[in-house]
């Protein structure tokens, strides 16, 4: 691969733009779980880009994700990249 390759050329799978609301389900051990509203910007076979309402730094490294319209599915996510309000997860 050349250094001038575009980002889309380096991606392993295509992104599907959702821009749908969702929720992060944060498991707190024996203390139960809490939820945090979010917006799922896009998804791919290997991950997703998520925008949170608060600081992304406050979100734990691992959590479950539910997406509006797919409430019967819960995705296990691990953070691989953090911005101010954006999380890249796999």
């Amino acid at each position: 691969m050349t250094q001038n390759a575009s980002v889309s050329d380096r991606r392993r799978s295509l992104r599907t733009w959702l821009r749908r609301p969702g929720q992060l389900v944060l498991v707190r051990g024996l203390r139960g779980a809490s939820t945090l509203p979010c917006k799922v910007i896009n998804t791919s076979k290997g991950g997703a880009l998520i925008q949170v309402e608060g600081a992304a730094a406050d979100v734990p490294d691992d959590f479950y994700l539910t997406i509006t319209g797919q409430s019967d599915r819960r995705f296990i996510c691990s953070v691989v990249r953090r911005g101010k309000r954006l999380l890249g997860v796999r």
Side-chain angles (χ1 to χ4, degrees):
M1 181 179 326
T2 66
Q3 288 191 10
N4 293 333
S6 70
V7 172
S8 62
D9 292 340
R10 291 180 277 164
R11 292 195 169 149
R12 293 183 180 137
S13 57
L14 296 174
R15 303 298 191 251
T16 301
W17 292 93
L18 288 182
R19 296 181 186 95
R20 276 195 193 162
Q23 286 194 330
L24 308 183
V25 180
L26 313 175
V27 178
R28 307 279 186 200
L30 297 176
R31 291 180 232 153
S34 61
T35 59
L36 178 67
C38 69
K39 181 188 275 187
V40 181
I41 305 298
N42 67 44
T43 61
S44 71
K45 187 176 181 181
L49 181 63
I50 301 168
Q51 181 179 6
V52 293
E53 291 185 4
D58 296 337
V59 176
D61 291 337
D62 299 299
F63 54 86
Y64 294 101
L65 171 67
T66 61
I67 302 172
T68 300
Q70 300 179 16
S71 59
D72 58 329
R73 296 187 67 189
R74 188 180 273 195
F75 303 93
I76 300 169
C77 296
S78 294
V79 176
V80 293
R81 186 176 36 123
R82 289 179 194 267
K84 288 183 181 181
R85 295 184 57 206
L86 293 175
L87 296 168
V89 299
R90 64 176 157 174

